[in-house]
Amino acid sequence: AQTVTQSQPEMSVQEAETVTLSCTYDTSESNYYLFWYKQPPSRQMILVIRQEAYKQQNATENRFSVNFQKAAKSFSLKISDSQLGDTAMYFCAFMKHEYSGGGADGLTFGKGTHLIIQP
Amino acid sequence: NAGVMQNPRHLVRRRGQEARLRCSPMKGHSHVYWYRQLPEEGLKFMVYLQKENIIDESGMPKERFSAEFPKEGPSILRIQQVVRGDSAAYFCASSPGGHLYEQYFGPGTRLTVT
């Protein structure tokens, strides 16, 4: 079974600063995907960024980037030029992939980090 | 293209009643996942379904909970004889399947058991 650990229950930074959220995971799988989801007060789960484990290059989406260290099983999220709208819970998630003509597996989530962007 | 739809958004049930939660996946998506989120917790996987098939129900409690995804119509998560501990937010996600693995979430149903 997979586990995902987010060691920072809450973080607070000033607007425009850069912040890094940490995530580690444990798995014996070799083929898998990693995700960061954002959950604002509306509670809607929003996909922020994804990383395929077989790719060495770190994923980037505008102000969001990851530092994927496969050997260390680490997957941190960096938010640059933070904005008030980034205030939310952030969840790291793991999914193993078994392509058998169907879909992929269920997601395993960490407990989340509550990120607060101060004006 | 409408996103994943869930209804109702809020559901209140008395202990012992049945709760039915509905999920309509995104157009073109044939894979549905259900998750439960307890207060101050991350989401926990419950069940993964394709049309007319349960693929993985390893996260589903053995009693009182069932799920289906019929050939026509939405996916249904059913909780019989609800108890206070069932109070949670229930999220549905869908994906296209195949090599397209990303899951897109609905807004969730908040179940309150009184």
Side-chain angles (χ1 to χ4, degrees):
Chain A
Q2 290 69 233
T3 59
V4 177
T5 302
Q6 294 180 249
S7 58
Q8 305 149 312
E10 185 171 291
M11 297 186 70
S12 180
V13 299
Q14 296 293 124
E15 194 176 5
E17 289 184 345
T18 294
V19 59
T20 298
L21 309 183
S22 65
C23 172
T24 58
Y25 59 95
D26 190 23
T27 184
S28 58
E29 301 289 333
S30 57
N31 191 14
Y32 55 88
Y33 306 101
L34 295 162
F35 305 87
W36 280 96
Y37 279 88
K38 168 184 177 181
Q39 188 179 44
S42 67
R43 303 191 69 81
Q44 173 77 51
M45 294 290 288
I46 302 166
L47 177 62
V48 175
I49 199 165
R50 71 192 72 80
Q51 175 81 43
E52 293 90 346
Y54 63 85
K55 288 187 178 178
Q56 292 186 337
Q57 186 173 7
N58 289 323
T60 299
E61 289 285 342
N62 300 314
R63 298 183 295 107
F64 299 87
S65 62
V66 298
N67 183 5
F68 174 46
Q69 302 289 328
K70 191 173 183 179
K73 296 180 181 173
S74 170
F75 182 62
S76 60
L77 173 70
K78 185 171 85 170
I79 306 174
S80 304
D81 185 26
S82 57
Q83 301 173 359
L84 297 179
D86 295 333
T87 293
M89 284 292 292
Y90 285 81
F91 293 98
C92 178
F94 171 101
M95 181 173 71
K96 65 180 181 179
H97 182 57
E98 296 173 350
Y99 182 66
S100 58
D105 206 13
L107 291 159
T108 300
F109 285 89
K111 288 184 180 288
T113 295
H114 185 203
L115 176 64
I116 300 168
I117 309 299
Q118 306 275 9
Chain B
N1 188 8
V4 179
M5 299 176 68
Q6 289 188 250
N7 66 80
R9 294 292 306 277
H10 300 276
L11 182 61
V12 179
R13 285 287 178 266
R14 289 199 179 96
R15 280 178 296 171
Q17 290 184 320
E18 178 180 287
R20 280 186 176 237
L21 288 63
R22 294 175 183 78
C23 168
S24 296
M26 288 179 70
K27 187 176 181 181
H29 288 195
S30 59
H31 300 256
V32 166
Y33 306 79
W34 285 94
Y35 296 85
R36 177 165 63 176
Q37 184 178 32
L38 295 170
E40 309 302 323
E41 295 281 327
L43 280 69
K44 300 281 191 212
F45 167 75
M46 299 180 75
V47 62
Y48 163 32
L49 310 106
Q50 295 178 27
K51 286 283 187 182
E52 300 185 280
N53 282 306
I54 296 174
I55 306 302
D56 180 358
E57 55 182 347
S58 59
M60 192 92 98
K62 293 289 186 281
E63 297 178 352
R64 302 187 298 109
F65 285 72
S66 63
E68 62 177 11
F69 189 17
K71 187 176 181 181
E72 302 290 337
S75 175
I76 306 285
L77 178 68
R78 188 167 82 157
I79 311 172
Q80 295 178 296
Q81 299 175 335
V82 296
V83 301
R84 287 234 172 94
D86 297 332
S87 294
Y90 292 82
F91 288 89
C92 166
S94 73
S95 74
H99 65 284
L100 299 174
Y101 54 85
E102 294 167 9
Q103 295 181 24
Y104 296 88
F105 282 80
T109 293
R110 180 170 293 281
L111 172 66
T112 302
V113 179
T114 61

